[in-house]
Structure formats: C-alpha cells, structure tokens
Amino acid sequence: MRRHSLPMSSAPAAPATGAPRSDWATLRKLAPYVWQWRWRVLLALAFLVAAKVANVGVPLVLKGLVDALDLKPGDPRTALVVPVALLLAYGALRVSVTLFTELREFLFYPVAARIARRVSLEAFEHLLSLSLRFHLERQTGGVSRDIERGSRSIHSLLNYTIYTIAPTLVEMTLVIALLSAKFDGWFAAITLTALVLYIGFTVTVTEWRTHFRRAMNEQDSKANTKAVDALINYETVKYFGNEAFEQARYDENLRQLERASVKSQTSLSLLNLGQSLIISAAVVLLVWRATVGVVAGTMTLGDLVLVNALMIQLYIPLNFLGVIYREIKQSMIDMEKMFLLLGEHREVADAPGAPPLATHGAAVRFEGVRFGYDREREILHGIDFEIPAGKTVAVVGPSGSGKSTLARLLYRFYDVDAGRILIDGQDIRQVTQKSLRAAIGIVPQDTVLFNDTVEYNIAYGRPGAGRAEVEAAAQAAHIHRFITSTPRGYDTMVGERGLKLSGGEKQRVAIARTLLKNPPLLIFDEATSALDSANERAIQEELKSAARNKTALVIAHRLSTVADAHQILVMEHGRIVERGTHAELLERGGRYAEMWRLQQAGEEEPA
C-alpha cells in the first residue's frame, strides 16, 4: 500500500464547537435569504394575523351565544332569532381561521423550502470548491450530516417562527388587550404574570435539561458509530472471533445512552408538571375572578365562558413552548455549523479574471517547485523537469519521496510555495481551475467508483456521452467483453466504492473513463501497483495505448513498467537525484540501477 506524505496539523483549526455562539449572528446570516421573499413573507404574516383575529373572535361569539340563551323568565324575545345569527358568525369565524391558516401556509411553505434548497446547494458547491487539505482533515460523513441538519434546521426554524412563535405572540397580545378592554385590570395582570412565569420557567428548565439531551445524542452517535464500524469490518470481527468484544463495546454505550435518556425523560416530566401548575393556577384565578363578577352582577355567564375559552385557547400552544424552544436552539446550532462551512476559506482560488487554459500539445514544465503540506516541513525541494508535448516522463522512487505530490500540484489541489508549474507556457495559477482539470486525465492507484452502474461510471469522464461513445471507450480499455458477459451488461451496479468489481476490472473502468474524457495530458499514478503480474502486463499495454500521442506523467513503483519512458526521474526525499532513459540510468550504475537490481532479484526469487 502506498504511503502519502500528508499534513498532520497544517490547516487552520476549525472553530471550537464549545465557543460561545451568537444566535443573532446566525439569524443575520439567514436574513438576506428571507429578504428576497419579503413580500410573500409579509403577506403570509398578514394572513397569520387575520387567522388569530378570527380565532380570538370565536370566544367572543360564544359569549354572545351564551348571553343570548340566558333569558330571564317572561322575556318576550324569541330564543332562536339572535342565536341563529351568532351561530352563523361562529361557523364563519371557524372557517376563516382554517382558511387564513392554509393561505399562510400556501404562501410561506414554498419560501422555507426554497431557502433551505438554496443554502444547501451553496454549501455543497462551496464544499466542492474547497481544497483537498480540507477534505482530508474532515470526516465526510460528519460534513454531509452538518449540511443535512443545517438545511433541515432552516426549514424548522422558519416554520416554527411563522407557524408557532409568531401566532402565539399575536394571540397573547390580542387576548391581553381584549381582557384589559372588557374587564378590570386584574384579568390582564393575572394573564400577563402567568405568561411571564410560564415562559421564564420553560426557558430555564429547558436550558438546564439541554445537557441531558446533548449527552443522550452523543451516546446515541457513539453507539451507532461502533455498531456500523463492527458491521463494516464484519470479516475482521469473524477472523478474530471478537463478537463478544464488539457486543460489550456496543452495550457500554447503550448503557450510558439508557442513563442519559432516563434523566432526559425525568427532566421533561418536571418541565411538563411545572407548566401545568402555572397554567392551572392562572386559569383557577381567572375563573374565580369571573365567578365573583357574575355573582356580583358585573359580569354575565357569557363573560365567564369567554375568559375560560380565551385561557384554554391561549395556553394550548404554550404547552409546546419547551419543545419548540429546544428545537429552535438546536436549529440555531445546526445552522451555525452549516454557515461555518460556507465561511470556510478557499485555500486554492482562481485569480481574478483568470482566462481558461489554452492547450496546444500540453507540454508541462516544473520550475524550481518547492512545497510542503506543513509550512514547517517541506516535501519538495526545488523540483525542475519538463515533459515535452506528446512525450512520457516517469517518476520513480521510494514511498514518501514526493512522487504523488507532483500529481496533486499539477491538478492544483494545492498551490506551490515557491517556483511555478507551466502547461504550454501558462502558469497554472493564472488560469481557471475548471479548464486546467478539463485538460488532465488521471488513472489512480486506488480507483474509487460511484455506487451506480458501469455505464454511469465510465460516462462520468464526459457527462452526457451516449451509449455508443461509452462502449467505444470500454472496447479501447478492453473491458467491453467483460461488461457484456454480465447479466445486466452496462446496467450492472458496481457497489459501494466499486467493491463488486475486481482490482483489474476497476482499473479498466478508470482507463475507459479517462479515454472517454480524452484530455491532452494524462497522469498514471501507480496505476498497476496493486495488481498481480498478469493483470499488470495487460493493463500496462492499455495504458501505453491510451498515452500514445499524448503528454503523460507516469508515477510508478515497479521500474519494469516505465522502462520505455522517454525520460525517467528518480526522486528521493523530495529531490530529483537522477534523470535519463532506462538504458542511461542502468549504465550510470547509480540509485536507479540499484533499485532495478533489487526488484529483478525479488521477481526472480519466487520462480
């Protein structure tokens, strides 16, 4: 297995997750996305207010109904005339509440969905534009989860705000204003005091129990990680008979998850009990005040019904305040993580106004190139060489000598620290990355395929290519016959990372993909080092055929595969120590000749 000279701690440290967060700062980042839909949002808010006005009107009509039916003996009024009108008004208000609520959702839901989609797409686009260093130092699963949770949190936050928080605030304002206008100040004071106590208690207890919930989520993630790790390494577990060991590791996290979940549920019960006590005390006090008023003759039975209905109507949404507050806080955290990804610095960026690369032969030149993944540990020390247009140059040397780093720099996954790299006389830092990478094709040592069909993976070299072009590339890579021999042919699924194919089959797919791309410059990065001798010879011939009349950089470990290169560079410790043709280097009797003798002896010994 090849070793890569990768940085250990060169990238800037990610922001600490435990650092103080500013929810307002996160909301400010979201605000421009909402602002683009401001008229639609304002109209949705208008429907929201209309729905709440209608909702508060329902108890008022109900009060009228009760008062209309509370006829004194001998009252000449007919008991049906007034209630029928009020019943129609009651029904109209009920329908209006539903109508305005659905209109609000009709207007606002597409806004939340569009904003979530746009931010997710921007985050994905930004991740693809970040340097290789970022992706090597991050766990892909974690980054994808950050995007997924961030997108979902935008949707949740906007929906909770428009569907729960804003309606509840509007209704609270209307109820307190109505109580103040119709009754004495005690009603409004009791209601307001209860609301303040309710919200304060809910926020305090929710903040306290957040760490229980966080501990539960952490143990859940750890348990899931251990289970997935054991299942992915199923064969290794079986090889060493460590089923009981893996079960014990898994159970330890499950035990801690159990403890955390019990604490979380107990604290939730405490929250629910406290909320219920505050609501019940407020309702009892209000009903008591209304009962005293009815007895004293200053209030009617309808007023008593009105007060009770208003309180029930107001406190039902407040019952969910603890859950909503916790979800909003979690949404803020998830959104912040995604916005941090969006703010991640692009280590490699196009120069302002950079033109596309213009190739006419694709001659490559490294001039005094110095580079280190870590600024304090240089990997390449003044590399100078040239690949003439249409020629093949091979780079050989021990692991860790910097061979694969040349390919990464040529692709501009990193920028050089000193010197420059030219293609047809153009500094690759002065052209667009898209055009640069369009001009280069690579067949890597470890070919990774998408979990899709064979056709999809070959066509990935040039998206939009037709079946005939894909088949022609497969025939040139000598894999067409194998593909057509399978039951589903080009529609065969290759599995996760292409694991359903053998090493040789994956390499041929990689070659076909590169042939379909048809770039003027090719890189073969130890493309056959993981194969047996028979497959290596077969694929080596295909690589030679692919490189015919193209500029090629061949990075190799086995010297026999590069013996016919136009020039061979021998690298050690980031320096070119020898260069020349195969025959010249053997005749010189230096480092290359020594490596050749060792490899030849190693191949002859088994025979």
Side-chain angles (χ1 to χ4, degrees):
M1 182 64 69
R2 178 183 51 178
R3 291 179 180 270
H4 296 301
S5 301
L6 298 181
M8 299 302 292
S9 60
S10 54
T17 55
R21 297 181 177 90
S22 171
D23 291 341
W24 288 112
T26 304
L27 288 174
R28 280 198 298 272
K29 291 179 181 177
L30 181 62
Y33 298 95
V34 179
W35 181 252
Q36 291 186 338
W37 299 88
R38 55 191 178 278
W39 300 116
R40 198 177 182 108
V41 172
L42 288 173
L43 190 55
L45 289 172
F47 283 126
L48 181 154
V49 172
K52 286 306 167 185
V53 169
N55 205 35
V56 171
V58 170
L60 284 170
V61 174
L62 193 60
K63 162 192 156 44
L65 276 169
V66 172
D67 287 341
L69 294 172
D70 184 26
L71 302 176
K72 302 294 185 294
D75 195 323
R77 287 181 300 167
T78 304
L80 289 178
V81 176
V82 176
V84 166
L86 289 173
L87 282 171
L88 291 174
Y90 182 85
L93 285 172
R94 283 289 184 191
V95 171
S96 297
V97 171
T98 304
L99 175 64
F100 289 134
T101 300
E102 294 305 318
L103 284 172
R104 175 201 66 190
E105 184 159 348
F106 172 77
L107 284 168
F108 188 75
Y109 189 88
V111 174
R114 181 67 58 85
I115 291 172
R117 170 191 164 196
R118 181 182 165 190
V119 176
S120 297
L121 182 60
E122 285 184 12
F124 182 69
E125 180 183 358
H126 186 69
L127 283 174
L128 289 178
S129 72
L130 293 177
S131 69
L132 180 62
R133 191 193 309 276
F134 171 87
H135 290 280
L136 288 175
E137 295 185 350
R138 297 295 194 281
Q139 290 184 324
T140 304
V143 170
S144 67
R145 286 290 291 155
D146 285 343
I147 294 178
E148 180 187 342
R149 282 196 299 260
S151 172
R152 193 168 59 239
S153 68
I154 290 174
H155 214 286
S156 299
L157 178 66
L158 293 174
N159 285 340
Y160 283 135
T161 302
I162 295 297
Y163 296 155
T164 306
I165 301 297
T168 302
L169 291 174
V170 170
E171 194 157 13
M172 284 166 52
T173 304
L174 290 173
V175 167
I176 292 173
L178 183 61
L179 290 174
S180 300
K182 289 189 68 68
F183 310 115
D184 64 63
W186 280 105
F187 286 90
I190 292 170
T191 304
L192 188 59
T193 302
L195 287 172
V196 171
L197 288 173
Y198 186 95
I199 293 172
F201 174 79
T202 300
V203 170
T204 303
V205 175
T206 302
E207 286 286 351
W208 167 68
R209 67 183 297 269
T210 295
H211 73 276
F212 294 132
R213 184 74 184 181
R214 187 177 292 119
M216 193 174 87
N217 289 343
E218 183 180 348
Q219 294 304 326
D220 180 49
S221 296
K222 286 183 177 179
N224 184 64
T225 299
K226 285 185 171 60
V228 170
D229 201 33
L231 292 173
I232 288 175
N233 294 284
Y234 170 84
E235 292 181 57
T236 305
V237 174
K238 290 294 184 183
Y239 288 151
F240 294 94
N242 280 341
E243 294 90 345
F245 173 73
E246 291 297 337
Q247 289 164 11
R249 290 176 71 222
Y250 183 49
D251 188 48
E252 176 58 29
N253 282 112
L254 289 179
R255 188 179 295 111
Q256 295 180 33
L257 172 61
E258 178 187 343
R259 293 196 198 104
S261 63
V262 169
K263 290 179 180 178
S264 178
Q265 184 57 43
T266 304
S267 61
L268 178 61
S269 298
L270 176 64
L271 175 64
N272 292 336
L273 179 61
Q275 288 175 330
S276 180
L277 285 172
I278 294 172
I279 291 173
S280 299
V283 171
V284 167
L285 285 172
L286 288 167
V287 171
W288 169 71
R289 289 291 303 170
T291 304
V292 170
V294 171
V295 171
T298 58
M299 295 177 67
T300 66
L301 283 176
D303 291 328
L304 176 63
V305 171
L306 173 63
V307 169
N308 190 57
L310 284 174
M311 290 305 99
I312 292 173
Q313 198 164 280
L314 178 60
Y315 284 120
I316 284 176
L318 284 176
N319 277 329
F320 302 102
L321 181 62
V323 175
I324 291 167
Y325 179 74
R326 186 184 70 238
E327 291 297 326
I328 286 177
K329 290 290 286 185
Q330 187 60 52
S331 295
M332 290 290 192
I333 293 169
D334 291 340
M335 281 170 53
E336 184 192 34
K337 287 181 178 178
M338 187 167 71
F339 283 129
L340 282 174
L341 285 175
L342 279 168
E344 191 75 32
H345 173 66
R346 295 187 184 186
E347 184 181 343
V348 178
D350 286 344
L357 177 70
T359 57
H360 40 84
V364 176
R365 183 172 181 80
F366 279 63
E367 293 183 352
V369 170
R370 292 182 174 274
F371 174 75
Y373 296 105
D374 189 326
R375 296 284 183 181
E376 298 176 359
R377 180 172 170 262
E378 196 172 70
I379 301 295
L380 300 179
H381 312 285
I383 297 297
D384 281 289
F385 70 89
E386 184 175 2
I387 312 175
K391 303 295 183 181
T392 297
V393 168
V395 182
V396 300
S399 297
S401 59
K403 303 187 301 297
S404 294
T405 301
L406 299 177
R408 291 197 180 98
L409 292 176
L410 192 53
Y411 255 104
R412 211 183 162 207
F413 288 153
Y414 304 94
D415 275 335
V416 298
D417 296 332
R420 59 180 186 163
I421 302 173
L422 308 173
I423 296 180
D424 285 335
Q426 302 157 84
D427 190 327
I428 63 173
R429 292 171 295 185
Q430 303 304 318
V431 299
T432 61
Q433 295 175 68
K434 184 178 178 63
S435 65
L436 169 68
R437 290 163 189 160
I440 308 173
I442 187 168
V443 180
Q445 174 193 12
D446 302 317
T447 299
V448 178
L449 304 180
F450 292 94
N451 189 6
D452 211 300
T453 64
V454 173
E455 179 179 14
Y456 176 88
N457 277 282
I458 295 176
Y460 200 79
R462 183 155 50 86
R467 171 62 71 88
E469 294 172 294
V470 169
E471 290 184 3
Q475 286 172 343
H478 301 286
I479 196 175
H480 175 73
R481 183 177 298 176
F482 161 74
I483 296 171
T484 53
S485 69
T486 59
R488 299 189 61 189
Y490 281 86
D491 294 324
T492 300
M493 296 294 292
V494 303
E496 194 77 31
R497 299 173 64 85
L499 292 178
K500 290 185 179 180
L501 303 182
S502 70
E505 290 156 2
K506 285 200 296 183
Q507 290 298 80
R508 285 185 169 90
V509 169
I511 294 169
R513 184 164 60 190
T514 302
L515 289 175
L516 184 63
K517 184 179 181 181
N518 193 30
L521 174 58
L522 293 173
I523 300 174
F524 302 126
D525 189 0
E526 299 193 24
T528 62
S529 63
L531 304 178
D532 57 70
S533 298
N535 270 319
E536 181 188 20
R537 281 193 295 271
I539 289 183
Q540 198 61 40
E541 290 303 317
E542 291 156 18
L543 295 179
K544 288 178 184 176
S545 175
R548 191 170 294 119
N549 300 322
K550 293 182 182 292
T551 306
L553 174 65
V554 180
I555 299 166
H557 176 70
R558 296 179 186 172
L559 305 186
S560 58
T561 63
V562 297
D564 56 352
H566 297 98
Q567 186 180 49
I568 299 172
L569 310 176
V570 182
M571 288 188 68
E572 277 192 350
H573 306 299
R575 290 183 171 84
I576 298 175
V577 295
E578 288 184 324
R579 66 180 77 203
T581 64
H582 173 70
E584 290 170 349
L585 292 172
L586 285 182
E587 186 178 351
R588 198 173 300 162
R591 186 71 181 95
Y592 180 86
E594 181 185 349
M595 292 165 59
W596 177 264
R597 283 194 300 271
L598 288 172
Q599 288 194 11
Q600 292 298 105
E603 291 175 5
E604 291 171 2
E605 190 173 320

